[in-house]
Amino acid sequence: MEQTVRKQRILSGIQPSGTPTLGNYIGAMRNWKLLEDEYDCLYMIADLHAITVRQEPAKLRQQSIQLLALLLAIGLDPEKNVLFFQSHVPQHAQMNWLLNCYTYMGEMSRMTQFKDKSAKHADNINCGLFTYPVLMAGDILLYQANLVPVGVDQTQHLEICRDIAARVNGLYSGVFTIPEGYYPKVGARVMSLQEPTRKMSKSDADDSFISILDGPDTVRRKIRRAVTDSDGEIRFDPENKPGVSNLLSILSALTGETIDSLAESFADKGYGDLKSAVTDATIETLVPIQTSFNQYMADKAYLESVYRTGAERASRIAERTLAKLMKKIGFIAK
Ligand code: AQP
């Protein structure tokens, strides 16, 4: 008799806190496409996470719908992948409360993203920013995800998710699958063009990142102005030459050539040559995505059908896990 083996499940997400950067694309989004046949994938637009930092309502709506169009534009098939808005699946907020009661203040206060973002938004250090990793843990655990494809900036959050899952399983056996991180080999941490010792972020100053929707002239200008150093030598040395190393990593991620072979072929060239190669590779990557993005944005009814179906499919899975945990904790079933 033929047996059907359930594919391993993947959950990942991205916040609509701006337009995705080349870092989001290389570190996370483009890998999602590579996984869609082998895994059972759910990709979420993490709008609940986005409000840990103040968002302008009209802009948040616009960025959210644009992000959905971008996920389609990078080639994600909405039949194979469940694409949804986090706020459309209420189980995320419910699970968040439950898991908050199984997470310690000390654990949260060690999170580097909390420290970074509190420093950046000193006027709005809210409780949501503090418990962001608990919401994220719930996102993953609700779907019993086996793998979570993310950039390395999320390693600490993923570890906390695993700790919380193990703790809950220790109290009430067999509730959650313990997930593993899935990191890209190249480009897991794309750095800012202006401050190459910090990661590239979509909510930072405009010149520090390339947005997926930047046109060729903007890409050219931003890469021309990217910070390098004054010794003029092209080699991969992130500690002493963070700007040049970042450009080499981006080029490697976009062209598929190894960093070593790129460093060798640029060894007797200047920074201008390296920058123009990075510019060409970036434009070549982004233009087809932008063309497809514009087509999806012109069809709002289609986008709506994708996110409605996505929320229904996600909700069905999430409800099973939520109900299981609530029963184990001791709540009376509805
Ligand atoms: N610079 C980066 N290099 C590689 N991967 C990155 N990711 C983010 N920045 C880089 C990965 O992108 C995915 C989605 O991230 P997110 O939007 O959920 O949150 P984030 O990590 O906080 O991304 P940003 O761009 O820095 O957003 P803001 O500015 O709003 O905080 C994740 O898998 C992340 O690892």
Side-chain angles (χ1 to χ4, degrees):
M1 206 172 72
E2 203 181 305
Q3 276 204 320
T4 46
V5 180
R6 178 159 106 55
K7 288 181 183 174
Q8 289 221 312
R9 185 169 287 152
I10 276 185
L11 179 285
S12 199
I14 178 161
Q15 299 183 73
S17 45
T19 309
T21 67
L22 199 57
N24 299 128
Y25 177 68
I26 293 173
M29 294 162 74
R30 72 170 185 173
N31 306 307
W32 298 355
K33 171 74 189 156
L34 305 175
L35 301 167
E36 71 178 12
D37 289 319
E38 208 180 322
Y39 296 92
D40 176 14
C41 303
L42 295 109
Y43 295 118
M44 166 189 92
I45 294 171
D47 48 6
L48 295 178
H49 281 277
I51 64 161
T52 51
V53 169
R54 286 277 176 273
Q55 303 291 338
E56 205 187 293
K59 240 170 127 182
L60 180 61
R61 267 190 293 276
Q62 174 75 356
Q63 286 163 187
S64 299
I65 203 73
Q66 284 189 339
L67 196 43
L68 179 67
L70 270 175
L71 295 185
L72 295 166
I74 62 168
L76 289 180
D77 178 340
E79 303 277 324
K80 290 185 188 163
N81 304 281
V82 180
L83 306 180
F84 65 102
F85 290 114
Q86 185 184 23
S87 62
H88 289 186
V89 180
Q91 289 84 358
H92 288 262
Q94 293 170 277
M95 182 58 93
N96 182 227
W97 173 253
L98 301 181
L99 296 186
N100 265 330
C101 300
Y102 296 85
T103 307
Y104 299 108
M105 302 284 285
E107 289 176 309
M108 293 296 98
S109 54
R110 286 196 290 276
M111 298 291 108
T112 49
Q113 178 175 291
F114 172 69
K115 291 182 200 161
D116 287 353
K117 290 211 168 167
S118 327
K120 260 200 232 170
H121 305 279
D123 56 337
N124 180 27
I125 305 176
N126 58 69
C127 296
L129 195 59
F130 190 66
T131 61
Y132 181 112
V134 185
L135 180 61
M136 177 168 158
D139 299 336
I140 298 165
L141 301 176
L142 270 175
Y143 300 99
Q144 307 288 359
N146 306 92
L147 285 181
V148 186
V150 281
V152 285
D153 60 308
Q154 293 298 329
T155 312
Q156 209 183 20
H157 290 167
L158 201 63
E159 272 314 305
I160 266 296
C161 168
R162 289 163 53 86
D163 291 348
I164 296 171
R167 184 173 302 147
V168 170
N169 282 352
L171 291 165
Y172 319 105
S173 69
V175 179
F176 295 131
T177 301
I178 310 278
E180 303 278 343
Y182 187 99
Y183 304 98
K185 289 190 185 67
V186 193
R189 190 169 167 86
V190 177
M191 309 308 278
S192 155
L193 297 179
Q194 290 302 315
E195 282 181 79
T197 50
R198 293 171 44 134
K199 77 159 186 151
M200 182 180 280
S201 268
K202 60 178 117 55
S203 56
D204 277 350
D206 193 47
D207 262 14
S208 69
F209 64 83
I210 305 279
S211 137
I212 300 195
L213 295 178
D214 279 344
D217 289 344
T218 309
V219 171
R220 237 173 250 121
R221 176 174 51 77
K222 288 183 179 176
I223 295 180
R224 197 176 338 110
R225 290 191 191 158
V227 167
T228 49
D229 52 56
S230 55
D231 81 5
E233 195 190 330
I234 298 182
R235 66 188 154 82
F236 188 72
D237 178 355
E239 202 171 311
N240 298 304
K241 296 174 69 67
V244 171
S245 305
N246 190 34
L247 292 175
L248 283 170
S249 300
I250 294 174
L251 191 57
S252 166
L254 294 179
T255 59
E257 275 195 61
T258 64
I259 291 183
D260 285 348
S261 86
L262 287 172
E264 207 176 293
S265 60
F266 278 96
D268 49 9
K269 297 197 175 125
Y271 291 169
D273 301 308
L274 176 60
K275 286 184 171 181
S276 85
V278 177
T279 302
D280 292 346
T282 305
I283 294 172
E284 206 173 295
T285 303
L286 297 188
V287 166
I289 297 175
Q290 292 166 358
T291 307
S292 173
F293 166 81
N294 289 330
Q295 287 161 355
Y296 283 115
M297 282 302 283
D299 192 348
K300 294 284 164 18
Y302 177 68
L303 293 176
E304 195 175 317
S305 73
V306 170
Y307 69 67
R308 280 190 196 286
T309 310
E312 279 164 26
R313 290 168 70 191
S315 221
R316 272 199 296 276
I317 306 170
E319 185 51 37
R320 279 203 292 275
T321 309
L322 184 72
K324 181 174 170 187
L325 177 59
M326 290 183 77
K327 186 170 170 211
K328 295 243 183 192
I329 291 176
F331 293 112
I332 292 175
K334 279 188 274 187

